[in-house]
Amino acid sequence: RKEVEQDPGPFNVPEGATVAFNCTYSNSASQSFFWYRQDCRKEPKLLMSVYSSGNEDGRFTAQLNRASQYISLLIRDSKLSDSATYLCVVSPTGGFKTIFGAGTRLFVKA
Amino acid sequence: EAQVTQNPRYLITVTGKKLTVTCSQNMNHEYMSWYRQDPGLGLRQIYYSMNVEVTDKGDVPEGYKVSRKEKRNFPLILESPSPNQTSLYFCASGKTTQYFGPGTRLLVL
């Protein structure tokens, strides 16, 4: 089993739709969680960190469920510019390793 | 401007010919890391460095070496490249938020 798993998609949604991605992780001791965005084989960029209490940044909401060991990303009112690959990232407790999921591809169509 | 630079951006080489990919950051970060990205596998960590002269293996270190003699630089060395090291390589700087370089596309024939 992979340490971090994501549905690869692709998710094809119309503009204005709400779309949600999930990511599961296997190490219950994991401490830090993030969502990164990657455009067309360019470098990944931090989208948002994920906190236990959940957090929101504009149209984006991230949540963490430690009991079920998954994190989620919700995108509301999708824009064409949201088309990208979304990477789930997990860091173990006190560790320096970083583990990336393989990514979920999103296409937003007009 | 906060920046991570990598060179070269593109490289075609032959099996066994030693090569070095350079990485430099201007953010005074202690933590730096190297990843490779392959279709369907996502980014996999090759090596990371917690500070000058302190490095450790990631998930896929075989066939790679690194050094960290200065805080700003973290080169990736392939002593004897093989075709299975054909990949897209990213250097990253920072721990909580990782800032990535633009990537190096490597083809080993």
Side-chain angles (χ1 to χ4, degrees):
Chain A
R1 181 187 173 188
K2 291 182 181 177
E3 290 187 77
V4 177
E5 293 202 70
Q6 295 182 248
D7 182 342
F11 285 63
N12 294 288
V13 302
E15 271 187 296
T18 295
V19 61
F21 309 134
N22 279 344
C23 166
T24 59
Y25 60 94
S26 60
N27 185 346
S28 59
S30 296
Q31 190 72 13
S32 303
F33 308 89
F34 309 90
W35 284 102
Y36 277 71
R37 170 193 168 127
Q38 185 176 26
D39 293 296
C40 209
R41 302 286 269 179
K42 291 192 174 180
E43 71 271 24
K45 294 183 179 178
L46 179 67
L47 180 65
M48 58 198 305
S49 302
V50 186
Y51 304 119
S52 296
S53 55
N55 49 301
E56 190 173 307
D57 182 2
R59 298 182 292 108
F60 299 84
T61 300
Q63 292 192 312
L64 167 64
N65 185 319
R66 285 191 184 273
S68 299
Q69 294 182 208
Y70 76 84
I71 66 173
S72 64
L73 178 67
L74 182 77
I75 305 175
R76 290 181 298 277
D77 189 21
S78 299
K79 311 291 185 191
L80 294 176
S81 57
D82 293 335
S83 296
T85 297
Y86 291 85
L87 305 170
C88 168
V89 182
V90 174
S91 286
T93 302
F96 291 95
K97 282 189 177 183
T98 305
I99 303 163
F100 279 74
T104 297
R105 191 75 176 92
L106 172 65
F107 292 98
V108 181
K109 299 183 184 297
Chain B
E1 179 193 354
Q3 209 170 22
V4 179
T5 57
Q6 290 180 232
N7 282 292
R9 295 287 314 278
Y10 305 91
L11 180 60
I12 300 174
T13 190
V14 295
T15 299
K17 186 175 181 182
K18 181 179 178 180
L19 66 92
T20 299
V21 184
T22 64
C23 174
S24 183
Q25 52 100 356
N26 64 0
M27 295 167 277
N28 202 35
H29 287 152
E30 293 180 344
Y31 184 87
M32 297 183 74
S33 189
W34 274 104
Y35 298 88
R36 61 177 290 173
Q37 187 172 31
D38 303 287
L41 296 177
L43 281 94
R44 293 179 292 168
Q45 198 170 36
I46 302 170
Y47 270 94
Y48 57 91
S49 171
M50 293 78 84
N51 213 329
V52 175
E53 302 290 5
V54 184
T55 63
D56 205 351
K57 297 176 181 179
D59 290 323
V60 288
E62 294 78 22
Y64 305 95
K65 283 177 58 178
V66 292
S67 69
R68 188 91 181 273
K69 298 191 185 309
E70 306 166 279
K71 201 171 190 178
R72 63 180 293 124
N73 295 324
F74 189 41
L76 179 69
I77 303 155
L78 285 71
E79 297 248 340
S80 183
S82 62
N84 64 13
Q85 292 179 296
T86 292
S87 189
L88 175 59
Y89 291 87
F90 287 105
C91 176
S93 177
K95 183 65 177 85
T96 306
T97 300
Q98 294 196 53
Y99 297 88
F100 284 80
T104 296
R105 293 186 183 274
L106 172 65
L107 172 61
V108 183
L109 300 173

